[in-house]
Amino acid sequence: MNALAGRPVLEVENLTRHFITKGFFGREEHRVRAVDGVSFTVGAGETLGLVGESGSGKSTTGRLVLRLDDATAGRIHFEGQEITSLRRGQLRTMRRRMQVVFQDPYSSLNPRMRVGDAVAEPLEAHGIIKDKKARQEKVADLFQRVGLNPRFATRFPHEFSGGQRQRIGIARAIAVEPRLIVADEPITALDVSIQAQIVNLFMDLQEEMGVAYLFIAHDLAMVRHLCHRVAVMLRGRIVETAATEQLFADARHPYTQALISAMPIPDPDREQARQRIFYEAVTPPADARLQEVSPGHWVLDQA
Ligand SMILES: Nc1ncnc2c1ncn2[C@@H]1O[C@H](COP(=O)(O)OP(=O)(O)OP(=O)(O)O)[C@@H](O)[C@H]1O
Ligand SMILES: [Mg+2]
């Protein structure tokens, strides 16, 4: 049996990233604990949702996992290999197996590059496609898989709507058949009417390819629909993590309860009766530890 079988695709252990910033006059130094000892795993074909208020460290976590930024401490294993301290040249294989989809598809596409070329670029960079015909066929296939007409491949990014551009970004990400996609708020910038379509596309592709997602998001309703498990971040820490249904049925941390209570309910009667829970965010004490309250459901100690 393969040594990797059953092992999570991604294992993050005590991941930490502190930023030292200087004050306005360049004297006083200030330490921002953007990510402060975060641990989680993402299984093969699984979706882990990372949620939490603005500034809680979600994007920094994503960037560390992608090795776009260097951790202050902690370890990242991807497909069983420690990638935390790989150097640029050694990251190549990992870069192919782990892809990214960003929030703003427009800024992540080169405006002067035909979208078909943008989708083919990672295939060429990794030497997967050799000749022109194979390239054209592969691009057409990828366009189809993300719900775009292959004839659009010769157009430029500005000729597409936001939702279509995000489809192009997704086609580019899946082109090299990654095992993990880090998606940082991939639907936040889209019209509400388009968001569900893109979420469904992510789900369909997962079913087809068995790809895992680390899905960073604000919208808890989407997270509930898409994610198998959820981790809630607050000020650089995970305060609660559980299987999605467990988390929504039995949230234990007051911050999670507050987030869930802020979700609108689509039924008007129940929406009217909805009780908001307010939680004044406090930085979790440094010595607080996650406790397992039921299998797979972890909650940070409260002071
Ligand atoms: N390069 C940097 N230098 C200094 N501080 C940074 C840097 N990048 C992020 N931070 C700080 O780290 C903290 C976490 O930022 P991060 O972008 O990870 O949050 P986030 O959860 O993704 O927020 P949002 O929901 O707004 O996207 C914030 O306080 C942010 O200001
Ligand atoms: Mg962010």
Side-chain angles (χ1 to χ4, degrees):
M1 202 160 106
N2 182 333
L4 288 177
R7 189 164 177 178
V9 174
L10 179 69
E11 297 166 276
V12 168
E13 225 183 292
N14 193 30
L15 193 62
T16 302
R17 177 65 164 110
H18 293 173
F19 294 105
I20 309 293
T21 56
K22 288 210 191 300
F24 186 69
F25 296 105
R27 286 205 195 127
E28 68 278 39
E29 283 195 345
H30 182 64
R31 180 181 291 265
V32 180
R33 299 172 185 274
V35 178
D36 211 18
V38 156
S39 303
F40 59 84
T41 61
V42 185
E46 186 184 43
T47 303
L48 175 71
L50 208 51
V51 303
E53 65 186 1
S54 183
S56 56
K58 306 179 299 293
S59 294
T60 305
T61 302
R63 290 175 52 79
L64 292 169
V65 166
L66 287 157
R67 287 300 322 275
L68 298 173
D69 188 11
D70 294 323
T72 308
R75 270 196 296 275
I76 306 162
H77 280 87
F78 175 61
E79 298 192 297
Q81 185 193 13
E82 173 152 12
I83 60 163
T84 331
S85 49
L86 290 183
R87 291 179 205 296
R88 230 164 261 281
Q90 303 170 306
L91 288 170
R92 211 180 133 73
T93 319
M94 181 219 109
R95 289 255 185 273
R96 172 172 167 191
R97 309 277 290 165
M98 191 196 299
Q99 292 287 312
V100 60
V101 174
F102 290 109
Q103 172 172 340
D104 179 359
Y106 199 59
S107 63
S108 60
L109 288 169
N110 179 345
R112 282 174 297 277
M113 191 186 264
R114 293 181 196 279
V115 294
D117 295 337
V119 169
E121 195 180 46
L123 291 164
E124 281 161 352
H126 291 284
I128 297 169
I129 290 283
K130 305 276 187 266
D131 62 276
K132 209 174 154 187
K133 183 155 172 289
R135 178 186 193 274
Q136 223 167 25
E137 280 170 6
K138 181 75 187 172
V139 168
D141 172 55
L142 285 164
F143 268 62
Q144 234 141 20
R145 281 168 69 188
V146 300
L148 288 173
N149 188 329
R151 280 184 305 153
F152 293 172
T154 54
R155 298 187 182 175
F156 290 93
H158 74 262
E159 299 177 69
F160 294 89
S161 68
Q164 288 174 322
R165 282 199 286 258
Q166 197 53 292
R167 289 178 192 273
I168 295 161
I170 294 168
R172 194 178 141 95
I174 64 166
V176 290
E177 292 176 21
R179 288 263 294 165
L180 175 70
I181 293 178
V182 177
D184 191 350
E185 311 251 12
I187 58 167
T188 308
L190 303 176
D191 284 353
V192 175
S193 60
I194 307 297
Q195 291 184 342
Q197 291 179 15
I198 298 295
V199 164
N200 287 336
L201 174 62
F202 273 109
M203 291 174 87
D204 292 345
L205 291 170
Q206 183 168 63
E207 205 164 301
E208 271 172 44
M209 307 172 52
V211 61
Y213 300 127
L214 177 60
F215 195 89
I216 298 170
H218 264 102
D219 183 339
L220 282 189
M222 287 298 175
V223 165
R224 187 176 194 170
H225 182 62
L226 174 79
C227 300
H228 301 106
R229 284 188 302 121
V230 179
V232 180
M233 283 190 79
L234 173 65
R235 312 237 173 134
R237 304 284 300 274
I238 290 179
V239 297
E240 185 158 7
T241 180
T244 305
E245 279 320 304
Q246 180 73 15
L247 189 89
F248 281 89
D250 187 24
R252 299 289 182 92
H253 196 282
Y255 179 60
T256 315
Q257 292 170 346
L259 284 182
I260 293 174
S261 80
M263 288 170 69
I265 303 171
D267 170 348
D269 291 336
R270 288 172 54 222
E271 169 62 20
Q272 205 169 25
R274 174 163 64 94
Q275 300 271 332
R276 283 289 303 266
I277 297 170
F278 292 96
Y279 176 67
E280 180 143 7
V282 287
T283 303
D287 60 354
R289 292 285 165 267
L290 284 165
Q291 308 289 346
E292 194 168 26
V293 293
S294 65
H297 185 172
W298 298 78
V299 184
L300 198 70
D301 297 331
Q302 311 279 313

